Amino acid sequence: MEDKYISISCIPLPTFIQGGYAFFDEGENHPNRNDLQYFVLMIIVKGQLFIAEDGHQYTLNPGDIFILLPHHHHYSWKPVEQSTEYYWLHFSVAGKWTQENKPVDVSSKVDIPTLHYFTPTVTLYLKKNRHITDEVPAFKLINRIFKNSAKQNNVGFWQAQQQFIDLLQIFQEKTKNESTSTQLAERIERFLRDHFDEKITNATLSREFHVHPNSIALSMKKTFGMTPTTFLTKYRLEEAAKHLLTTDEPINQIARNVGYNNIYYFSTIFKQHYAMTPTAYREKFKH
């Protein structure tokens, strides 16, 4: 079957709605639907799923990613033959999108002024059906999205939305005009944002991306103007500031939530960045 590509305008950005983990026993069928208003992103973990959309039949295996279109007819074209499991994520697109045999530039639904703002493309290209060889990073990120969305608070909501955009970036078809260094820096930047609450060192990044630490630092400085360490510190403190203003969590808990086990070190770094202690920051700006 010929390849299909879904091209989505990213202004406005796609929005994560909900997600879960599906189990099907031998002989069961995927639900038969034609009125779902969301895109459905599926990542097969185990077994084999026989899914059809508008009469086109697909056989999905572990590591396969598949995207169902909103308001299109999808169903099982035959029951599963073994225990089958997959992640599913519903997402909504308010802007323009199209599915074609090749990636297509899609204009924004919102007028973009070019005098003070320019971006080379506002289109996200997703292959309708593709296979990934290393599922672990994607599965970790999906579980973090689910964990944050389950918090049912403002911080969790925004973190889940940010991480969902990161997931789409992992799955997107790369544009040809991006250099290898830029692509590496963008991957590092997403990893730092998605794992900022964990212990991350130069060795961690080197193992994750199979690149020498010097190359990692150079690519980040060239693309973002700062080292991975500086970026991580800046992002952690921004997340801490959000928690201080939107929750009543104790300072020591916030410190741990953003990756600092030593509250005194956290307070010192925070004061260097914001010119006041975390407690003073909360008292001054929280209403």
Side-chain angles (χ1 to χ4, degrees), residues 54-244:
D54 298 337
H56 298 283
Q57 297 178 350
Y58 301 84
T59 300
L60 307 181
N61 297 294
D64 282 352
I65 300 168
F66 189 75
I67 302 175
L68 294 166
L69 304 179
H71 299 294
H72 283 246
H73 187 201
H74 58 264
Y75 53 93
S76 287
W77 59 270
K78 74 172 180 177
V80 299
E81 298 175 342
Q82 56 186 300
S83 177
T84 299
E85 303 174 11
Y86 62 87
Y87 288 100
W88 59 269
L89 299 93
H90 289 174
F91 67 97
S92 178
V93 172
K96 301 175 183 177
W97 64 271
T98 184
Q99 178 176 279
E100 308 289 346
N101 293 333
K102 62 181 180 179
V104 176
D105 287 338
V106 181
S107 62
S108 169
K109 193 174 182 178
V110 179
D111 289 335
I112 304 175
T114 57
L115 180 60
H116 300 293
Y117 175 82
F118 175 76
T119 181
T121 178
V122 296
T123 306
L124 171 72
Y125 307 114
L126 298 171
K127 201 169 184 180
K128 184 176 186 67
N129 184 15
R130 62 169 293 191
H131 184 79
I132 53 175
T133 55
D134 184 6
E135 307 99 324
V136 174
F139 290 169
K140 285 183 177 179
L141 184 51
I142 290 169
N143 284 317
R144 292 175 74 88
I145 293 170
F146 292 171
K147 178 181 177 181
N148 281 317
S149 63
K151 290 179 180 177
Q152 297 184 339
N153 60 33
N154 288 336
V155 174
F157 170 79
W158 290 113
Q159 286 179 340
Q161 295 301 328
Q162 290 168 354
Q163 290 163 346
F164 176 68
I165 296 301
D166 290 344
L167 184 69
L168 293 181
Q169 287 182 285
I170 291 174
F171 295 155
Q172 74 175 329
E173 297 295 304
K174 303 299 182 183
T175 55
K176 294 181 180 179
N177 60 349
E178 283 187 332
S179 69
T180 302
S181 176
T182 299
Q183 290 183 19
L184 174 62
E186 289 175 346
R187 290 170 59 207
I188 295 167
E189 184 252 0
R190 291 197 300 270
F191 180 85
L192 292 174
R193 285 194 284 109
D194 294 334
H195 299 270
F196 70 91
D197 55 350
E198 302 173 10
K199 182 179 180 180
I200 299 177
T201 64
N202 289 334
T204 304
L205 297 175
S206 182
R207 287 194 303 270
E208 179 71 21
F209 297 101
H210 310 290
V211 177
H212 192 277
N214 289 345
S215 297
I216 288 175
L218 286 172
S219 67
M220 282 290 291
K221 289 192 74 173
K222 182 178 179 181
T223 304
F224 295 103
M226 64 185 80
T227 65
T229 301
T230 301
F231 180 92
L232 181 60
T233 299
K234 184 174 182 293
Y235 190 79
R236 280 174 167 170
L237 294 178
E238 288 174 354
E239 289 298 313
K242 291 179 189 176
H243 280 74
L244 288 167

